[in-house]
Amino acid sequence: LMLVLAYGAHSLVNIAYLAWGAQLSGTLGAVAWREGLGLAGMLAASLLPAAILAGDPAQVRPGLAAYSLAFALLTALAMLALLRRAPAAPQRDASAGWRDTWRALASNRPLRALLLPYFLNALSVAIPATLALFYIADQLGAPHLSGIFLACYFFTLWLSWAIAVRLAERMKLTT
């Protein structure tokens, strides 16, 4: 139940974030920077706790406390910068009710065409992300190496994203 709630909440936030980002950035370069920095953050979030846990056992608790405090401060600073510096999203007609919103979504053919691929993409990410940690702990017997495995996964994502951006530029698919 908690995984369903966590993934559901993440999906809601992520969809709103990506939709807002699509409205704000008109170039592939801006999207690449956003995604690249996001992956860099995931790499750091995977490797730093693993490094702390692999260190001196007496320093694990203070190390994780410092890491948590730094994470909270960086998150607060990022949110402050986001709320102060990012342009506002375009205003929509507030008089439209939820039924009107659903009708508008249902009549949007390009959006409907993207729903199945978006769902399949989310599913293809969610299943391995959920099962990988169980596999690492139960089958490999190495829960202490979960951060390293996740970092390898995210590094591969970063590398493939960089290759995809270069290919898009070479094929003149950038705007």
Side-chain angles (χ1 to χ4, degrees), residues 108-121:
N108 186 335
R109 183 177 224 126
L111 175 70
R112 285 195 333 255
L114 287 175
L115 288 178
L116 181 61
Y118 181 81
F119 172 75
L120 293 175
N121 178 60

Side-chain angles (χ1 to χ4, degrees), residues 13-174:
V13 169
N14 201 34
I15 290 168
Y17 171 72
L18 291 174
W20 181 52
Q23 290 176 347
L24 296 178
S25 63
T27 66
L28 184 60
V31 173
W33 271 102
R34 180 188 69 200
E35 295 298 319
L37 290 173
L39 283 171
M42 286 189 277
L43 278 170
S46 297
L47 287 174
L48 290 174
I52 293 168
L53 291 171
D56 179 15
Q59 296 300 316
V60 168
R61 196 176 195 93
L64 288 176
Y67 170 78
S68 299
L69 181 62
F71 180 80
L73 288 173
L74 285 172
T75 300
L77 287 172
M79 288 300 296
L80 183 65
L82 175 70
L83 294 173
R84 286 194 173 193
R85 306 288 289 170
Q91 295 297 316
R92 306 257 161 113
D93 182 15
S95 64
W98 66 271
R99 286 186 180 103
D100 294 331
T101 302
W102 277 109
R103 267 193 285 282
L105 290 173
S107 67
N108 186 335
R109 183 177 224 126
L111 175 70
R112 285 195 333 255
L114 287 175
L115 288 178
L116 181 61
Y118 181 81
F119 172 75
L120 293 175
N121 178 60
L123 190 64
S124 72
V125 171
I127 290 173
T130 303
L131 297 179
L133 294 175
F134 292 120
Y135 182 81
I136 293 166
D138 298 338
Q139 297 299 313
L140 299 180
H144 59 286
L145 296 177
S146 293
I148 305 292
F149 282 110
L150 288 175
C152 290
Y153 173 73
F154 292 130
F155 179 75
T156 305
L157 283 174
W158 173 79
L159 188 60
S160 64
W161 181 256
I163 292 169
V165 168
R166 294 282 184 236
L167 282 173
E169 288 171 346
R170 184 169 288 182
M171 296 170 66
K172 308 229 186 293
L173 298 175
T174 60

